Every structure is written in structure tokens, then in C-alpha cells.
Amino acid sequence: GESRQGGRGRRGQLAARGDRLGAEGEPDPHGGGALLVVEGGRAQARVAAHRIEQDWYSLVPALDGGERREELRARRLLLETVLASEPLFRVKPWFLADQFSALDAAVAPILWRLPRWQVVLPDGTASIERYCRKVFARPAFRASLSEREREMPH
């Protein structure tokens, strides 16, 4: 409800619920959030969802058209936070879960856009790259992409 969402903007509310975002950062019309399937780890999943929202999604406005200096700062911060999350991609088959969950639905759009934002993962990030190949290969993920998103470099 409103009290749980606090003062978050629309993007934050969508990310917290795990809704997929379209090319313009609006909800994907093809489906809402996935169910959280994190047995015994719901608190961990909530913390992770909050961190993704705060550390990753908060940078999207600067990455999608901010001033050059802000864009460079956001690019650096996103790379740092994705790299800091690298061990989490090794823990379970999906992002902190044994099955695809809302966390994957929140993480995947950001990872898909990394090349567009010129965020390059360095060597030593095989677990993130493996995760990306797996999540991007899902038919539901491919079907959720807009034409503009499908044209993004990969």
C-alpha cells in the first residue's frame, strides 16, 4: 500500500514490485511482476529488491539523458554496484533463488541496458555474464522486449 511505498516515485514502486519496464521506463504491458519464490529468504529478497531499487534504478534518469557529468558518474556507480553484487550471481541458479523470481524480473532490464549505457563488465565477471545469457534466453524475457529494446546492442 501507500505506507509501504513511502515517498518512492513510480519507477521505484515498479522496481519494488518486480514489474518489467518497457523501453521508456514504463511498465511492460505484457505482464506484471513474477511471484517471489524465495523459500526461507523472503527478508533477503526484500533487502535485495530495495538495494536494486536504490542503487541501480535510481541511476536510470542520469543514464538516460542526464547531464554528461551526471551520466558519467551514474555509469561508474552502476558498474561498481553491479560488480559488488557479483557474488550474489553465484549463490543460486537465479538471483538469490532456486527459481526465476521477481528479483530476476527487476535485475534483467538493467543488465540488458548495460551496453546501451556503455557500462562494460571487466574480466572476472563470468557469473554475471552466465546469468545474463540465461535470463536473456528466456522466451518470456525476449517476448517482453519492445522493438526498441530488441535493437539495443548486445
Side-chain angles (χ1 to χ4, degrees):
E2 184 61 34
S3 63
R4 292 190 64 189
Q5 296 300 327
R8 293 186 235 169
R10 182 163 171 74
R11 180 180 305 279
Q13 292 171 6
L14 296 172
R17 289 195 341 236
D19 287 350
R20 290 178 294 212
L21 300 181
E24 302 301 319
E26 290 300 313
D28 177 12
H30 302 294
L35 294 176
L36 268 181
V37 185
V38 185
E39 293 181 21
R42 291 190 189 278
Q44 183 181 28
R46 281 193 300 274
V47 169
H50 179 75
R51 296 307 312 207
I52 291 164
E53 176 186 344
Q54 293 298 309
D55 296 347
W56 297 16
Y57 277 89
S58 66
L59 301 171
V60 170
L63 292 164
D64 275 344
E67 293 180 13
R68 179 75 175 148
R69 192 172 67 166
E70 284 300 308
E71 182 182 342
L72 292 172
R73 178 184 168 278
R75 191 180 299 155
R76 178 183 51 79
L77 288 172
L78 182 58
L79 177 60
E80 289 173 3
T81 58
V82 169
L83 291 177
S85 301
E86 190 273 336
L88 302 178
F89 289 94
R90 289 186 262 138
V91 174
K92 300 261 186 176
W94 293 98
F95 194 73
L96 296 175
D98 290 321
Q99 298 178 11
F100 187 87
S101 74
L103 288 176
D104 299 292
V107 168
I110 295 288
L111 296 176
W112 179 260
R113 288 171 174 83
L114 291 180
R116 172 184 172 196
W117 293 324
Q118 300 172 15
V119 175
V120 179
L121 296 175
D123 291 339
T125 57
S127 62
I128 297 173
E129 293 168 10
R130 206 172 20 256
Y131 173 85
C132 286
R133 282 191 301 274
K134 182 169 56 172
V135 76
F136 297 163
R138 289 178 60 90
F141 178 80
R142 289 297 203 185
S144 74
L145 297 174
S146 68
E147 183 178 335
R148 182 175 169 197
E149 288 170 316
R150 282 189 294 275
E151 293 171 357
M152 289 179 183
H154 264 271

